[in-house]
């Protein structure tokens, strides 16, 4: 459906749609990584966060026998509330073994639950591939 936009409002419309797209991509990335995270005690899964120009959340503290599962539809946002143009957003996990889960071969630090190394990169590629679809959905809703 076509939308009538005043010429003076084109920039505002585009910015709003871009910020909706940015929020959708951040949410999809967080959701995918949280859902695909291997679980022993749940600490790794519970330690995903999203930072705006920041990746300082250290992760959940060690020592618990189990951790509450994160809500995959509600990213843990560190230091901000809403995605905005001009900022850099990082979905990250700062636990000491996070990199090993992504890069090590099975049996040497990776997990069968993630289907081996490369699962974070595969998530990034998948999310990049859905940008046109999400953008079209957002535009159709505007």
């Amino acid at each position: 459906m076509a939308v009538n936009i005043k010429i003076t409002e084109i920039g505002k419309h585009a910015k709003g749609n871009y910020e909706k797209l940015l929020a959708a991509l951040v949410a999809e990335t967080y959701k995918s990584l949280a859902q695909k995270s291997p679980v022993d005690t749940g600490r790794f899964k519970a330690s995903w966060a999203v930072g705006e120009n920041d990746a300082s959340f250290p992760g959940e503290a060690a020592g618990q026998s189990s951790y509450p599962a994160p809500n995959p539809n509600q990213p843990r946002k560190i230091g901000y509330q809403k995605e905005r143009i001009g900022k850099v957003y990082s979905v990250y996990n700062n636990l000491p073994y996070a990199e090993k889960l992504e890069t090590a071969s099975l049996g040497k630090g990776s997990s069968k639950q993630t289907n081996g190394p490369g699962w974070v990169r595969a998530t990034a590629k998948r999310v990049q591939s859905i940008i046109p679809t999400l953008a079209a959905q957002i535009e159709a809703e505007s």
Side-chain angles (χ1 to χ4, degrees):
M1 178 171 114
V3 178
N4 289 325
I5 303 168
K6 292 181 182 179
I7 195 141
T8 57
E9 298 292 317
I10 290 173
K12 184 177 178 181
H13 176 77
K15 178 183 178 192
N17 281 355
Y18 182 83
E19 287 179 344
K20 288 177 188 175
L21 177 60
L22 184 58
L25 293 169
V26 166
E28 180 60 30
T29 303
Y30 177 88
K31 178 180 179 177
S32 183
L33 291 172
Q35 288 177 334
K36 292 179 181 178
S37 291
V39 177
D40 181 14
T41 63
R43 181 178 177 214
F44 183 75
K45 182 175 255 191
S47 292
W48 286 104
V50 181
E52 179 183 83
N53 298 330
D54 179 39
S56 62
F57 177 65
E60 294 292 335
Q64 298 179 41
S65 59
S66 67
Y67 295 80
N71 180 346
N73 297 312
Q74 193 171 8
R76 177 187 299 201
K77 297 178 178 182
I78 305 297
Y80 80 102
Q81 296 299 314
K82 183 180 176 192
E83 289 79 7
R84 297 173 296 156
I85 292 175
K87 303 293 182 176
V88 175
Y89 296 92
S90 300
V91 180
Y92 63 94
N93 192 319
N94 280 339
L95 291 186
Y97 52 89
E99 187 173 346
K100 196 170 195 177
L101 280 169
E102 164 62 4
T103 60
S105 59
L106 285 173
K108 297 191 185 218
S110 193
S111 170
K112 291 178 186 175
Q113 294 177 43
T114 64
N115 294 322
W119 62 282
V120 173
R121 288 180 302 246
T123 297
K125 284 181 88 170
R126 187 190 63 77
V127 171
Q128 288 174 349
S129 75
I130 65 172
I131 290 172
T133 303
L134 287 174
Q137 288 173 351
I138 289 166
E139 185 60 35
E141 295 169 1
S142 296

